[in-house]
Amino acid sequence: MLTLSTKLKSASIAMAVAALSATPGLAEDITLWTLNFDNNAANVALKKVATDFEAANPGTHVEIVQRAVDEHKTALRVAAGSDKGPDIYFSWAGLGLGGEYVKAGLSLPLDKYYSEYKWTDELLPSAAAFADLYPGGKHGTPFTFKGEAVYYNKKLFEQAGIKEEPKTYEELLAAAEKLKGAGIPAFTFGGTVNWHVMRLMDVILETKCGAEKHDALKAMKVDWTKEPCATEAFAEFAKWTKDYTLQPFMGIDNKQSYSLFTAGRAAMMLEGDWLVSQLDGSGANLDDYGIFPFPTNTDRLYGFAEYNYVSTKSKAPDTAAKFLDYFLSNKVQQDLVGQISSISVNKNVQYTNQKPLEAEWLDIFKKYAKVYMNGDQAFPLDVTTEYFRIINEVASGSVEPADAAKQLQSFIASRT
């Protein structure tokens, strides 16, 4: 039989243990900085992943901070130059945007976690390859692997007398002429966000220069003024922006461009696979739209990867890596299909009950083994900024196509 003093002592020990367990300093709280995605299903899904992770790891809290694209980039640049920042941050893969933060020392190499969690064994090789682009080890894990292609309004194509999806660049030009003749702008873009119009220039560079020269130009290994295809591409870009786009596109952003597309004001958008969920979420009839890869006459798909990186500012990198492992796991990735992206970065995921447009995307991903990246991921940040400026001025008529390659090469040469 326990004495009163023994009972009190036992109670005191229990209370001390409970108090110790509840000590805030022992809880592994992590913060994830990411985008406020246009596809709201992705926002909801990401928050559920965080909540489920917390339930599986009592005492851990995941705070998600979401911002618009430009505000997110600004916050990361500030973090790179300070002693504070997130535990995990979203960015794009590649030597451009993602490489900026790696170079600035914001990204923690993850080699030991790749080994511990065997991530390479469960990831799509094309998605995982971006982690090896940077010097000093593996950086980041895939969040999504994105493809970009042409979405088109079937009714507007029919109205212009276009009977088949263009399979070559020449057929696409012919379709644009038919649309113009019917009083229908071929494409809509949002010029105020820079990167939206950049997509058009990127695919035209791939078309005019071919895969090898395009890669060499973006890698700054060849002189833009010595490759005639670069000047040809700027001239072709100027023609598209003058003759085949919804005007005046330089005064609107990507969201306004999307609204004009769904309102039937233009026949096509050059967008990513995420647009399927966006269209579906906004109540659009998916049967009204089709997809085809921009026909560059090469065998590569336009696309990019988005990554989550562990920050060097993190005080809980092991917990951050554990969260990334949870996110990449077979079960979670299976549950996320169609919410964050039409295709998972996990190669073990199975696809069922797909919407027709999602099935088209899966067919596209299966067809293409090679990818060419967006300019703002291929270039370093300062060159990207100049690339944007020149593209915008060519589109507005302020810079002649013949001078565009010269100006870009002059800027590249000034960096060395």
Side-chain angles (χ1 to χ4, degrees), residues 92-100 102 130 133-134 305 309 373 377-379:
W92 296 263
L95 297 177
L97 289 176
E100 173 193 354
V102 173
F130 292 84
L133 291 176
Y134 315 105
Y309 299 79
M373 285 192 298
Q377 295 193 44
F379 281 133

Side-chain angles (χ1 to χ4, degrees), residues 89 98 101-102 104-110 138-140 309-312:
Y89 67 88
Y101 309 119
V102 173
L106 187 60
S107 173
L108 183 73
L110 301 181
K138 290 180 175 291
H139 286 267
Y309 299 79
V310 175
S311 169
T312 53

Side-chain angles (χ1 to χ4, degrees), residues 20-30 58-61 316 319:
L20 187 61
S21 299
T23 302
L26 295 181
E28 292 283 356
D29 293 350
I30 57 173
T60 297
H61 174 65
T319 303

Side-chain angles (χ1 to χ4, degrees), residues 23 28 34 46-47 118 165 191 231 237 242 288 301 312 318 348 383 406:
T23 302
E28 292 283 356
T34 190
L46 188 57
K47 290 173 183 175
K118 297 180 172 55
E165 295 176 354
T231 297
F237 170 78
K242 178 183 176 183
D288 290 341
L301 178 66
T312 53
D318 290 346
N348 299 318
V383 180
K406 294 178 183 177

Side-chain angles (χ1 to χ4, degrees), residues 240-254:
W240 274 95
T241 58
K242 178 183 176 183
D243 294 343
Y244 304 130
T245 52
L246 180 64
Q247 303 290 337
F249 64 91
M250 295 305 291
I252 63 173
D253 64 16
N254 57 308

Side-chain angles (χ1 to χ4, degrees), residues 2-43:
L2 295 174
T3 65
L4 178 60
S5 61
T6 303
K7 290 179 179 178
L8 290 172
K9 186 179 291 185
S10 298
S12 297
I13 292 172
M15 289 174 64
V17 171
L20 187 61
S21 299
T23 302
L26 295 181
E28 292 283 356
D29 293 350
I30 57 173
T31 302
L32 165 63
W33 286 6
T34 190
L35 298 185
N36 186 12
F37 298 100
D38 289 338
N39 168 22
N40 192 53
N43 299 321

Side-chain angles (χ1 to χ4, degrees), residues 132-251:
D132 296 314
L133 291 176
Y134 315 105
K138 290 180 175 291
H139 286 267
T141 61
F143 177 65
T144 63
F145 180 57
K146 304 287 192 179
E148 292 158 285
V150 178
Y151 288 76
Y152 68 95
N153 185 314
K154 293 179 180 178
K155 294 178 182 177
L156 293 182
F157 263 40
E158 183 179 354
Q159 187 176 327
I162 302 168
K163 302 184 184 306
E164 295 182 348
E165 295 176 354
K167 294 181 176 58
T168 66
Y169 183 68
E170 293 71 26
E171 290 178 1
L172 180 62
L173 280 177
E177 276 294 325
K178 286 184 176 180
L179 288 163
K180 183 180 179 181
I184 303 168
F187 274 95
T188 177
F189 290 98
T192 64
V193 292
N194 294 316
W195 45 266
H196 211 232
V197 184
M198 172 202 70
R199 294 173 180 169
L200 179 60
M201 184 64 202
D202 286 344
V203 295
I204 291 175
L205 270 170
E206 177 81 359
T207 304
K208 290 296 181 180
C209 294
E212 186 175 345
K213 287 184 179 179
H214 184 188
D215 285 349
L217 287 167
K218 289 285 178 64
M220 301 178 292
K221 292 181 178 179
V222 297
D223 191 319
W224 283 68
T225 63
K226 294 181 180 179
E227 286 293 348
C229 69
T231 297
E232 291 173 16
F234 277 115
E236 192 76 358
F237 170 78
K239 179 176 174 58
W240 274 95
T241 58
K242 178 183 176 183
D243 294 343
Y244 304 130
T245 52
L246 180 64
Q247 303 290 337
F249 64 91
M250 295 305 291

